[in-house]
Amino acid sequence: MSSTPSSLDTAGTAAIRTLALVGQTAAGKTSLAEALLVQAGAIGAPGSLERGTTVSDFDPMERRAQHSLNSSLMHLTHRGNRIHLIDTPGYADFVGQSMTALEAVETAAVVINASTGIEMMSSRMMEWAAERELDRMIIVNKIDAQGVDLPALVEQIRATFGRECLPLNLPAAGGTKVVDCFFNTEGESDFGSVEAAHRALVEQVVEVDPAFVDRYLNDGDVDPRELHAPLEQALREGHLIPICFVSARNGAGVAELLDVIELLLPNPTEGNPPQFFKGEGEDAKELHADPDPARHVIAHVFKVTVDPYVGRMGIFRIHQGTVTKDSQLYIGDGRKPFKVGHLFMLQGKDHVEVARGLPGDICAVAKVDEMHFDAVLHDAAEDDHLHLKPLPFPVPVHGLAIEPKRRGDEQRMWEILQKLVDEDPCLKVEHVAVTNETVVYGLGELHLRTLLERMTEVYKCEVQTRPPRIAYRETITAPAEGHHRHKKQSGGAGQFGEVYLKIEPLPRGEGFEFVDQVKGGTIPTQFIPAVEKGIRQALDTGVIAGYPVKDVRVIVYDGKSHSVDSKDIAFATAGRKAFIDAVLKARPIVLEPIVKVEITAPDQAMGDITGDLSSKRGQVSGTQALPGGQMVVSGQVPLSELNNYQARLNGMTGGQGRYTIELSHYEAVPPGIQQQLAGEYKLKEDD
């Protein structure tokens, strides 16, 4: 923990900037953050990704992997302005960490590797930032790399993201420096005319303000220093998406990027306010937080970390009011406030204690057990039922069944999983009652592998995993009758119970119905519940393949009893075996879950995707074109055919495909699969 730098307490709201560095892995986001920290004097020398000494990738697993697994927070001061930076992961499996960073900033800076150009995460983050109405900018990094074609990359950017993408500066001297094009009208660059770039920028900005249009047409130019208000409007409306060039490695453009952040990017009073809602459902009313330090507090928790040693930490962006040490804050609809014992700003792994946080500041509090992701913090009782517009997180569908290696660790494993899920909105854990498994769901193999490594390394919890069992079911297709006499005599008191019953199929989804039609007390009333209990045991354990039996009506109509030997266990056994006898005569079938699937991928992969679905017993129901050369394929497919589907989809789409699933209905499996499942069940029984 560090002492409080005085500069952290002197900046007002207008002197705060917030920026999320987002984009594909290997674009150089972490190295760029390091270069900005060095340039601003926040650290003495740049750390190394290879040696694991960077400010943001401080987690031991990140150091080993040499790429970001979590979003990381930093801050610096430049000419009296406090700049909050969020470095985010670039792998699609960790996109939840990148998306939540968008909740905390005015500007999304999409970092693009000059060598590889626009990649999947670049496009996705541009799309999500536009949906959140954030200011967007593009930072082209690694401009000094061998063989890069920067003019072609600018054209690719403009063709993909729109003609409103314009260079704010241009590389010069072979990528060893950059020349500004907004304030400058002349200069030498590696490509393109500085004057032409300046003119294009000014024309784009003045278009949002008719008064400036008239001046520009009459005078031929406008002093860029007068264009602050229309520039901020153009950024807010997405009418201008500036492109900046840097090399984090040789430092080209880093100082100029700091100046751009200070002079041109919005402060909290200039960006589009986030969409808060008060109330739930259709009754919810939109509410705009006012970035006024004097008003009551509204802050949003966009990240939670749970550390075995530090405990639970909530990281939040202040949207309204001032948070100080000793503030009393409510969490969401909670009736009991907590006291802010210590208020921090984060510098990677370091917690820098501060006296206050203003609108625009990103702060943290530790050791508050009730803190949770997406909570709204406030200091006024009337601000309960406040929430932000939900983010469109990808649905985690890549599942692993998980169990502890050591018996008795089930509860501890569950608690650890809950902590990890609390940190990542794209992880989900549930106990699947049908298969009696704990299943953890993520966005891909890497996502879940990282979770398992954290369980082992951080929490010392050894687990074993396997693919989740498919929740097959059994049912019948015809009526039938069953009978069983249970008779057991061994010395003393014996067991006796006899049951006659009929079964009938019910419509799909109706479940189970038990009907007592016994006349004349052939089965005494007190034993009827035991008969039903035995039948339910067979329903749960299955008959032909070991899966629960559904959608059946059982009618018990006759039986026999013995005045001495009849007891509950005898009638439970007779009921169970009579039911099994009937099911085997009722043309039983195994049902499998059919899921609705939506696959989003580049349009050139559509042929491969639809062909693959058809080969996996799937049916395509429709396709839809999306902007940016993307398509959505909708259809239905048996869940069992989607095992390891993300890996197959990655192969067909070069890693650019994603999919969601939702249970649709159950259907009979093909005869060959039923025989296989029944054979496997018989082998288990024999063992």
Side-chain angles (χ1 to χ4, degrees):
M1 190 179 297
S2 308
S3 60
T4 308
S6 59
S7 60
L8 289 186
D9 289 325
T10 56
T13 294
I16 294 173
R17 307 287 185 273
T18 56
L19 191 72
L21 301 175
V22 296
Q24 191 76 24
T25 191
K29 301 182 294 295
T30 300
S31 299
L32 178 58
E34 203 76 5
L36 289 167
L37 290 169
V38 171
Q39 182 66 39
I43 57 176
S48 161
L49 283 168
E50 292 73 24
R51 292 195 299 273
T53 53
T54 58
V55 171
S56 59
D57 286 358
F58 56 84
D59 184 280
M61 287 173 59
E62 290 178 313
R63 289 173 178 168
R64 194 166 60 245
Q66 294 192 9
H67 62 76
S68 302
L69 301 173
N70 304 288
S71 60
S72 179
L73 288 98
M74 295 149 282
H75 56 266
L76 55 89
T77 304
H78 180 61
R79 293 181 185 156
N81 292 270
R82 179 157 64 245
I83 299 169
H84 294 276
L85 289 175
I86 307 180
D87 180 25
T88 65
Y91 276 105
D93 282 28
F94 307 105
V95 73
Q97 296 279 337
S98 303
M99 291 178 73
T100 56
L102 301 181
E103 302 277 49
V105 298
E106 266 73 49
T107 304
V110 179
V111 183
I112 292 176
N113 183 338
S115 298
T116 53
I118 297 169
E119 297 176 90
M120 176 186 63
M121 283 293 284
S122 314
S123 299
R124 284 200 200 174
M125 296 314 299
M126 282 290 280
E127 177 187 326
W128 285 321
E131 282 181 18
R132 300 308 276 191
E133 297 184 338
L134 297 180
D135 291 23
R136 289 166 289 159
M137 71 180 299
I138 293 168
I139 300 174
V140 177
N141 191 17
K142 306 188 181 183
I143 60 172
D144 58 332
Q146 283 287 322
V148 296
D149 187 345
L150 295 176
L153 177 56
V154 171
E155 280 311 304
Q156 184 194 18
I157 288 170
R158 300 192 73 202
T160 305
F161 301 130
R163 309 310 288 179
E164 59 271 23
C165 299
L166 294 170
L168 207 56
N169 54 38
L170 288 170
T176 59
K177 64 179 186 177
V178 302
V179 56
D180 167 71
C181 302
F182 186 65
F183 296 103
N184 283 340
T185 56
E186 55 188 35
E188 296 292 324
S189 75
D190 289 345
F191 70 92
S193 158
V194 172
E195 183 185 359
H198 170 82
R199 193 164 55 247
L201 281 166
V202 172
E203 287 176 359
Q204 192 76 3
V205 170
V206 298
E207 277 181 5
V208 301
D209 189 323
F212 278 106
V213 171
D214 290 341
R215 278 184 57 187
Y216 183 75
L217 291 174
N218 292 330
D219 301 343
D221 200 1
V222 177
D223 186 342
R225 288 170 295 188
E226 296 182 55
L227 291 177
H228 186 80
L231 171 67
E232 296 306 330
Q233 183 181 342
L235 292 171
R236 273 196 307 274
E237 295 175 357
H239 191 69
L240 173 65
I241 301 172
I243 304 171
C244 291
F245 293 89
V246 300
S247 168
R249 189 179 65 85
N250 71 15
V254 174
E256 289 81 357
L257 180 58
L258 270 181
D259 289 343
V260 166
I261 295 169
E262 176 217 339
L263 296 171
L264 304 182
L265 295 189
N267 66 48
T269 69
E270 294 169 329
N272 287 319
Q275 254 186 313
F276 280 99
F277 291 93
K278 186 172 178 62
E280 306 295 334
E282 294 180 1
D283 298 329
K285 292 187 172 61
E286 196 166 344
L287 178 144
H288 286 296
D290 180 1
D292 181 349
R295 296 196 62 189
H296 50 94
V297 172
I298 297 176
H300 176 254
V301 179
F302 67 93
K303 182 177 172 68
V304 169
T305 63
V306 186
D307 186 278
Y309 307 106
V310 177
R312 183 177 293 259
M313 175 176 286
I315 302 163
F316 55 91
R317 156 71 189 258
I318 302 170
H319 292 282
Q320 178 177 292
T322 300
V323 177
T324 62
K325 185 175 178 295
D326 299 332
S327 286
Q328 300 272 344
L329 297 178
Y330 295 92
I331 301 173
D333 304 336
R335 301 290 91 194
K336 185 180 175 186
F338 73 91
K339 182 181 177 182
V340 178
H342 298 277
L343 186 67
F344 303 110
M345 288 181 190
L346 301 183
Q347 192 74 300
K349 69 177 184 297
D350 294 330
H351 304 163
V352 181
E353 189 160 0
V354 296
R356 64 172 184 167
L358 300 173
D361 276 328
I362 296 173
C363 298
V365 293
K367 299 180 180 175
V368 181
D369 291 340
E370 298 78 17
M371 193 71 71
H372 60 90
F373 168 71
D374 213 26
V376 172
L377 308 181
H378 57 96
D379 61 358
E382 66 268 20
D383 283 334
D384 60 357
H385 295 290
L386 268 186
H387 58 92
L388 266 183
K389 178 184 175 183
L391 280 164
F393 290 115
V395 179
V397 292
H398 192 91
L400 270 182
I402 183 170
E403 61 185 22
K405 283 186 177 177
R406 199 168 59 188
R407 289 176 66 92
D409 271 2
E410 288 80 7
Q411 182 61 33
R412 179 169 176 265
M413 181 193 78
W414 181 264
E415 289 170 358
I416 291 167
L417 283 171
Q418 288 293 346
K419 289 177 181 177
L420 294 171
V421 167
D422 285 349
E423 294 183 329
D424 189 336
C426 291
L427 284 170
K428 185 178 75 169
V429 63
E430 67 179 14
H431 182 76
V432 182
V434 176
T435 58
N436 193 29
E437 291 178 312
T438 297
V439 180
V440 60
Y441 298 93
L443 297 181
E445 183 187 349
L446 178 61
H447 198 195
L448 292 183
R449 191 166 73 238
T450 302
L451 173 133
L452 296 174
E453 287 177 11
R454 289 204 68 195
M455 292 185 75
T456 304
E457 294 186 16
V458 179
Y459 292 97
K460 313 302 180 193
C461 180
E462 297 280 341
V463 297
Q464 50 197 22
T465 64
R466 62 175 179 275
R469 297 188 190 104
I470 301 297
Y472 292 107
R473 294 176 177 174
E474 300 176 18
T475 193
I476 58 172
T477 59
E481 295 203 12
H483 161 252
H484 186 78
R485 172 186 284 194
H486 177 71
K487 187 175 182 180
K488 189 175 181 183
Q489 199 75 37
S490 55
Q495 295 179 12
F496 181 86
E498 188 169 3
V499 172
Y500 291 85
L501 53 77
K502 295 183 281 194
I503 61 175
E504 302 169 354
L506 286 174
R508 202 66 48 83
E510 291 288 313
F512 168 63
E513 186 180 331
F514 179 81
V515 181
D516 173 13
Q517 287 187 357
V518 175
K519 302 275 195 306
T522 54
I523 300 177
T525 305
Q526 69 266 29
F527 294 129
I528 296 295
V531 175
E532 182 178 356
K533 179 182 176 183
I535 292 167
R536 286 187 179 275
Q537 285 174 348
L539 285 169
D540 291 342
T541 58
V543 175
I544 58 170
Y547 297 100
V549 182
K550 301 289 182 183
D551 306 331
V552 61
R553 177 186 289 121
V554 178
I555 303 162
V556 178
Y557 64 90
D558 201 1
K560 287 182 183 173
S561 65
H562 186 278
S563 59
V564 175
D565 291 346
S566 286
K567 43 183 69 80
D568 282 350
I569 190 171
F571 275 102
T573 303
R576 180 170 59 84
K577 293 191 174 180
F579 176 73
I580 291 170
D581 178 47
V583 167
L584 293 173
K585 301 171 186 171
R587 297 206 299 271
I589 58 172
V590 176
L591 300 172
E592 65 179 336
I594 306 296
V595 293
K596 297 177 192 169
V597 61
E598 274 198 356
I599 304 160
T600 305
D603 51 15
Q604 62 263 30
M606 285 303 109
D608 291 341
I609 289 169
T610 54
D612 179 70
L613 277 181
S614 298
S615 73
K616 301 297 182 183
R617 300 191 287 129
Q619 293 182 328
V620 175
S621 57
T623 58
Q624 177 191 353
L626 294 179
Q630 299 277 301
M631 292 278 286
V632 176
V633 178
S634 305
Q636 294 187 342
V637 66
L639 180 60
S640 60
E641 299 287 356
L642 291 179
N643 186 30
N644 204 29
Y645 184 66
Q646 186 64 56
R648 292 211 313 270
L649 187 59
N650 287 344
M652 291 183 282
T653 64
Q656 296 188 58
R658 60 189 190 274
Y659 73 104
T660 62
I661 57 174
E662 178 187 340
L663 180 65
S664 172
H665 62 283
Y666 273 80
E667 268 182 21
V669 301
I673 294 178
Q674 179 159 322
Q675 287 173 6
Q676 179 189 340
L677 293 171
E680 290 169 356
Y681 179 57
K682 188 173 187 310
L683 282 173
K684 283 183 195 167
E685 281 194 316
D686 291 345
D687 288 345

